[in-house]
Amino acid sequence: MPPRDAVMVADAPARDPRAAGVPKIELVGASKTFYVRGQEVTALQPVDLTVGDQEFVALVGPSGCGKSTTLNLVAGLLRPSRGEVLYDGVPVTALNRRVGYITQKDTLLPWRTAAANIGVALELQSRAVPRAEAQERVAQLIDLVGLRGFENHYPAELSGGMRKRVALARTLIYEPECLLMDEPFGALDAQLKLLMQDQLQQLVHQRRMTVLFVTHDLGEAIALADRVIVFSARPGRIRAVRDVALPRPRDVFKMRFTEGFGRLHEELWDELKDEVAKGVDV
Ligand SMILES: Nc1ncnc2c1ncn2[C@@H]1O[C@H](COP(=O)(O)OP(=O)(O)OP(=O)(O)O)[C@@H](O)[C@H]1O
Ligand SMILES: [Mg+2]
């Protein structure tokens, strides 16, 4: 882990980040190998991947194929074994504070209520946010993620899906320009998942955010993304990339029944199913 006060090292930018065409996120031949008790585990083969400014890219692939590893590389929590990871054209060499990261495992503070977990960022900021403003911002996010009435519950008193929603709100309070999301809605029931997808797409549009989103749910990937990337079984590499040319704003509830959605789902599933079969070692 990098030191807590690490910042992204701004070496002389390779390119002007505002110049058209510089991707928000770029992996250039980035690979990752772990060494665990003398054993080598290749999580990711060299991957070339870009996410444009305000683009929504979904990553799908079998368990263990390196999806979380990819997000950890972009967040600056891991260094690539080979290749480079760039953010706004600058190599990520320390913790990337420009992204909001919703990790696969939620990391709520058990001794704080839902509201106090969501507001923690406002307390940590060097310029303290006035109490009334902080309360107002927390209340707005509680509403946004549908947790009104549970503000004063502790994490142990919330369901898995509710905890995920607290984690989402806690990240959104930073107002990040880019979100890394690792199966954020995986634990939610089918209906709530659709509602959250709908709210997320509105929010991403309003705040003009860039998103790199990991999911096991192909339907979710198509509903939300501009582009879907299918990873192969471990060691992960890019097996297929498809643009989702479905018009926006999208109706996440109804679009599943359209022809365009069905066709793309079938096409992507054809790519994914072989990889999923490889991943389960039958
Ligand atoms: N910190 C680590 N140390 C050692 N090995 C790791 C570490 N992180 C991941 N791995 C290994 O790298 C591979 C890829 O892991 P990763 O968590 O990226 O997979 P994933 O695609 O996110 O899987 P899932 O869908 O199950 O979350 C796995 O074999 C895993 O055991
Ligand atoms: Mg994972």
Side-chain angles (χ1 to χ4, degrees):
M1 283 280 283
R4 288 197 71 200
D5 59 350
V7 290
M8 203 171 122
V9 175
D11 293 320
R15 282 164 284 171
D16 179 354
R18 286 146 307 194
V22 173
K24 202 81 196 152
I25 298 168
E26 198 171 7
L27 274 73
V28 187
S31 69
K32 185 68 193 174
T33 301
F34 293 102
Y35 296 91
V36 185
R37 288 175 288 283
Q39 247 203 331
E40 196 179 290
V41 179
T42 300
L44 207 57
Q45 294 188 52
V47 162
D48 292 312
L49 185 161
T50 58
V51 182
D53 187 25
Q54 294 174 50
E55 193 183 14
F56 196 126
V57 171
L59 279 186
V60 295
S63 182
C65 73
K67 303 181 297 296
S68 298
T69 301
T70 303
L71 296 192
N72 286 334
L73 289 170
V74 177
L77 293 167
L78 292 174
R79 303 282 161 273
S81 305
R82 298 222 165 157
E84 260 194 324
V85 178
L86 307 168
Y87 188 87
D88 271 344
V90 181
V92 178
T93 53
L95 207 58
N96 183 353
R97 295 192 180 279
R98 309 262 299 278
V99 300
Y101 188 5
I102 298 169
T103 53
Q104 193 166 1
K105 247 197 249 153
D106 76 53
T107 50
L108 301 180
L109 305 170
W111 60 89
R112 282 182 160 237
T113 63
N117 262 290
I118 294 169
V120 73
L122 303 181
E123 295 167 39
L124 291 174
Q125 277 176 3
S126 48
R127 190 183 56 81
V129 175
R131 203 178 148 80
E133 187 196 327
Q135 280 175 346
E136 171 65 24
R137 277 169 69 182
V138 169
Q140 276 174 4
L141 283 166
I142 294 252
D143 275 345
L144 182 78
V145 297
L147 281 175
R148 194 183 288 184
F150 291 90
E151 298 87 330
N152 298 321
H153 284 55
Y154 290 91
E157 298 162 345
L158 299 170
S159 72
M162 287 169 154
R163 282 201 296 273
K164 280 274 178 197
R165 285 183 277 152
V166 174
L168 174 62
R170 188 185 54 174
T171 302
L172 291 174
I173 210 157
Y174 285 99
E175 303 191 348
E177 61 179 24
C178 176
L179 279 179
L180 307 177
M181 306 179 85
D182 200 346
E183 301 188 35
F185 307 145
L188 306 186
D189 68 62
Q191 292 75 21
L192 189 57
K193 197 173 185 178
L194 289 174
L195 279 173
M196 292 296 295
Q197 288 170 5
D198 189 44
Q199 288 181 346
L200 178 67
Q201 73 156 0
Q202 287 180 39
L203 198 79
V204 165
H205 177 72
Q206 276 164 19
R207 296 195 183 175
R208 298 165 172 268
M209 286 189 282
T210 305
V211 187
L212 185 53
F213 188 98
V214 167
T215 177
H216 275 121
D217 178 344
L218 205 46
E220 177 170 79
I222 298 168
L224 291 173
D226 300 310
R227 207 146 46 95
V228 179
I229 297 179
V230 180
F231 269 23
S232 70
R234 189 177 65 78
R237 61 176 176 79
I238 294 177
R239 163 148 183 163
V241 181
R242 292 286 179 282
D243 287 329
V244 184
L246 301 170
R248 291 190 186 271
R250 296 178 187 162
D251 183 332
V252 298
F253 308 97
K254 291 189 187 149
M255 69 180 291
R256 277 147 227 273
F257 307 107
T258 63
E259 207 188 312
F261 184 96
R263 213 177 312 117
L264 197 54
H265 195 283
E266 202 176 321
E267 222 180 290
L268 282 163
W269 175 240
D270 279 344
E271 300 286 349
L272 187 59
K273 67 172 189 287
D274 297 344
E275 299 301 331
V276 173
K278 279 185 220 163
V280 288
D281 291 335
V282 277

